[in-house]
Every structure is written in C-alpha cells, then in structure tokens.
Amino acid sequence: MSDDPRTGTRSWGLTSAKGHQRSPVLLSKHREGIFWIQSSSAGSENLRLAKCYPAAFAFRCAVEPAAAAEAARNATLAQLYEIEAPLQVMSEAKTDFNKWIEGDVALHTAIYVASNNVFIAPLANLFRQYFQMSFSVSSSNFHHQHCLQEHRDVFEAIRERDPEKAADTVRILLKHADEDVKSVLQK
C-alpha cells in the first residue's frame, strides 16, 4: 500500500499468484472516495487479490444484485443478447480458462450496462479489471462445476424480467465465488 500526498490517493499493489511482483495493477482510493483500477499490462496473468479483495468484494456484493435486478427491469432486447452471448463462450471454454474469463468478464459487465441505471451502469468500467483479476484467481475445474449453471440462472432470471429472482441468483453466485476465491487465496 502506498499513499501519494500530491494526488490524495492510496493504492494497493497486487502480485502474481506465486507472490512475484508483476506489471503494476493498482486498486486506488482517491481522497474524495472515488475508486479506480489501472494496469500497465493487458496480459491475463493469474493475480492475487491480496488485501483489497475483502473490500472490493463487499462493494460488489452490495451492488451486483441491484444491477441484476435493474437489468431484469430495464434491459433492452439487444442487451439481453449481450448478456447471453458470453454464456456460449463460457460453455465452449471447458478448461480454457482464458476463454472462460473473457466470457465471464463480458457477462458481468453486460449486466451492469443492461441495468440502464445512471448510477449502476458506469460501475461496469470500475469492475472490469477487478473481474479479470478475481476470475483469474478463482477459475478452476471445481469452479466450473457449479459456476456455469449459476451464470445461466442469473441470465434466465433477467430474461424472465424477475428482479427479485435476478438479485437472489446473483447472491448465490457471489457466495460460491467468494468461497472459491478464498480457497485459492488460503493456499
């Protein structure tokens, strides 16, 4: 963690899964409470979320069920296709974790955008890099056993225009995702 008194930011550096420092990936908090994620590398390395995971995940748990509920209420037909398309990528990925992560990130990003809520939709950009890091840590054969169906359940609830069910299915998905990430980080 480092503080920059010039900009009023506090940044938490992340490392690779093997504990090696990699290209800079920072989750930063501005003195005015604005969070952002930045990286100087486009590579899909398996990054450890380190100390920022609990706070970032808690924020995601507070927001993503609402995003799914809003998507169930407000998504256009085109946005429903944007949520559904990544499911096909994830289904075909099998053990190609980079492909799986690509689909997973696209699906979650599409849910935020499909909320069509001026406060929730912009969070897609905030979370995109976090999703990449988190999903890189948690992707495994064990994860896939329950995860694909959970993503389908979220999509189905949104497509059925059932906000309560959409929020509930996201909560289930997040509970299992948290368990998966924590099991990896504890190793």
Side-chain angles (χ1 to χ4, degrees), residues 82-133:
E82 289 295 316
I83 298 169
E84 184 179 32
L87 285 172
Q88 185 64 32
V89 172
M90 293 166 72
S91 294
E92 294 170 357
K94 307 263 186 260
T95 59
D96 181 347
F97 298 130
N98 288 332
K99 194 98 174 137
W100 171 273
I101 293 164
E102 175 186 318
D104 207 357
V105 170
L107 183 138
H108 288 275
T109 300
I111 289 170
Y112 281 81
V113 171
S115 74
N116 289 306
N117 179 301
V118 297
F119 297 103
I120 296 173
L123 294 175
N125 290 327
L126 172 76
F127 278 118
R128 187 174 287 115
Q129 187 71 26
Y130 166 79
F131 290 151
Q132 181 75 34
M133 292 181 294

Side-chain angles (χ1 to χ4, degrees), residues 20-71:
H20 302 291
Q21 191 65 34
R22 297 294 175 122
S23 56
V25 177
L26 302 173
L27 172 64
S28 301
K29 179 186 182 296
H30 191 271
R31 68 175 163 245
E32 295 165 3
I34 301 167
F35 285 84
W36 72 93
I37 298 173
Q38 58 188 343
S39 172
S40 65
S41 171
S44 58
E45 297 182 43
N46 189 17
L47 299 173
R48 178 168 291 180
L49 297 179
K51 293 181 180 180
C52 74
Y53 177 77
F57 190 76
F59 183 54
R60 182 180 174 201
C61 287
V63 175
E64 196 158 324
E70 288 295 294

